[in-house]
């Protein structure tokens, strides 16, 4: 991002010193900015000196580059959010710091401006769950064979916390106010144990989730961390709405002769 300067010459931010692109501006991908398609962070977790200065520089860079930064949040509130994140820098992991910054940035209300914390997610801490949010609730569509009994059941709790409370916390990472997008994104984030740990919904060794059936009976399943590889099983396609099938295909069609129906997606 050209135009940002501090003493010295180092890649991207043109800085020198031990911080070496520690500034989380390197985590930002600003879709609105033609000069910054995206980048990753190269930093050391143990380095905490200078976070306040660097995060302040992040705020000033956003003000410089964003055409309408304070559309939904005033400058004072945003600066307070950034300062609070910087104050906790010495107590948190790099992941926790990045998530905290994303919460602050999400409050701005611009879905095209975000902190790319996703590359800090450990694959061994992703729970073997694939869920979808149907009208009846968040339903398990895929999991491992040992947990196959929860297929088709609704997620109702995470470590004793109501799933609604979990969704409420995860949604603070999203700028969008579109209910459909919030549902799609939060359901995708539920298996990320690091996020559940960050918000206090999971421990270091695992997480226990409650799944309810149509009769209201709840079964609790404990997922140990790190997650071990196992074969996955899923709900049969015929039990899934047509719009949810073959989700990786951009376009598809199918003819139902019995109904004389031609379906195009």
């Amino acid at each position: 991002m050209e135009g940002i300067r501090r003493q010295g010459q180092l890649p991207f931010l043109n800085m020198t010193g031990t911080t070496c692109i520690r500034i989380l501006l390197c985590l930002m991908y600003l879709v609105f900015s033609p000069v910054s398609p995206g980048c990753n962070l190269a930093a050391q977790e143990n380095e905490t000196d200078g976070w306040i200065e660097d995060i302040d520089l992040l705020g000033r860079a956003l003000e410089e580059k964003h055409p309408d930064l304070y559309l939904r949040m005033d400058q004072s509130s945003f600066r307070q959010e950034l300062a609070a994140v910087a104050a906790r820098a010495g107590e948190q992991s790099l992941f926790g710091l990045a998530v905290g910054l994303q919460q602050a940035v999400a409050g701005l209300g611009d879905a095209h401006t975000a902190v790319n914390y996703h590359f800090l997610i450990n694959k061994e801490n992703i729970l073997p769950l694939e869920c979808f949010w149907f009208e009846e609730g968040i339903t398990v569509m895929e999991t491992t064979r040992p947990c196959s009994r929860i297929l088709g059941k609704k997620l109702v709790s995470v470590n004793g916390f109501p799933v609604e409370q979990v969704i409420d916390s995860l949604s603070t990472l999203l700028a969008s106010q579109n209910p459909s997008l919030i549902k799609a994104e939060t359901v995708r984030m539920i298996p990320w144990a690091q996020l559940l740990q960050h918000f206090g919904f999971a421990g270091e060794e695992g997480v226990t989730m409650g799944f309810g059936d149509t009769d209201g009976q709840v079964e609790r399943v404990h997922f140990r961390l790190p997650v071990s590889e196992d074969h996955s099983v899923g709900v049969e396609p015929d039990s899934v709405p047509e719009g949810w099938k073959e989700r990786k295909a951009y376009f598809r069609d199918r003819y139902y002769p019995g109904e004389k129906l031609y379906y195009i997606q």
Side-chain angles (χ1 to χ4, degrees):
M1 298 183 60
E2 297 176 359
I4 304 173
R5 292 291 184 271
R6 212 164 78 176
Q7 290 183 352
Q9 295 292 322
L10 272 184
F12 191 75
L13 292 181
N14 297 319
M15 296 189 298
T16 58
T18 57
T19 55
C20 188
I21 316 182
R22 184 186 59 232
I23 180 172
L24 287 195
L25 184 58
C26 194
L27 267 171
M28 302 298 293
Y29 59 88
L30 308 179
V31 177
F32 60 82
S33 175
V35 299
S36 180
C39 58
N40 287 332
L41 179 68
Q44 297 181 7
E45 282 189 26
N46 295 330
E47 294 183 356
T48 58
D49 294 338
W51 274 117
I52 294 177
E53 180 183 353
D54 288 341
I55 292 178
D56 178 69
L57 177 59
L58 168 62
R60 287 188 281 113
L62 283 172
E63 291 172 343
E64 175 187 339
K65 293 292 182 179
H66 200 293
D68 194 8
L69 187 63
Y70 298 116
L71 178 65
R72 202 173 82 185
M73 176 186 287
D74 60 83
Q75 182 183 31
S76 176
S77 298
F78 180 58
R79 285 299 186 146
Q80 288 178 9
E81 292 281 346
L82 292 183
V85 175
R88 299 191 300 268
E91 306 169 0
Q92 292 190 323
S93 66
L94 185 58
F95 178 82
L97 194 59
V99 170
L101 275 180
Q102 172 55 20
Q103 284 182 291
V105 172
L108 295 169
D110 181 8
H112 299 297
T113 305
V115 174
N116 180 18
Y117 65 89
H118 302 88
F119 74 95
L120 294 170
I121 293 175
N122 187 342
K123 293 183 179 180
E124 293 183 346
N125 288 335
I126 298 179
L127 304 179
L129 278 177
E130 184 171 348
C131 302
F132 293 111
W133 198 326
F134 296 110
E135 183 178 356
E136 298 77 12
I138 299 174
T139 304
V140 180
M141 304 300 293
E142 187 174 313
T143 186
T144 56
R145 290 187 183 277
C147 299
S148 60
R149 61 190 182 280
I150 65 174
L151 284 172
K153 294 184 178 181
K154 294 189 302 181
L155 175 64
V156 297
S157 66
V158 178
N159 266 10
F161 295 95
V163 68
E164 293 80 8
Q165 185 175 347
V166 177
I167 293 297
D168 185 60
S169 293
L170 295 177
S171 64
T172 63
L173 297 172
L174 304 173
S176 174
Q177 298 299 297
N178 185 310
S180 297
L181 290 178
I182 290 176
K183 286 182 177 182
E185 289 299 311
T186 51
V187 166
R188 185 172 67 94
M189 292 189 288
I190 284 177
W192 298 349
Q194 284 169 269
L195 280 182
L196 299 179
Q197 292 166 348
H198 176 82
F199 289 110
F201 298 124
E204 293 297 324
E205 297 182 355
V207 55
T208 300
M209 294 184 167
F211 301 91
D213 59 21
T214 54
D215 297 324
Q217 299 297 316
V218 177
E219 179 174 3
R220 289 174 175 79
V221 176
H222 183 73
F223 297 95
R224 296 184 62 85
L225 296 173
V227 174
S228 58
E229 293 187 6
D230 202 337
H231 295 291
S232 62
V233 291
V235 175
E236 292 297 323
D238 288 343
S239 64
V240 181
E242 191 65 40
W244 291 93
K245 299 177 182 178
E246 301 180 34
R247 291 172 291 109
K248 294 183 179 180
Y250 288 104
F251 305 101
R252 65 187 185 88
D253 62 345
R254 183 176 179 183
Y255 180 66
Y256 296 86
E259 294 83 3
K260 295 183 179 180
L261 174 67
Y262 183 47
Y263 179 87
I264 303 175
Q265 177 178 317

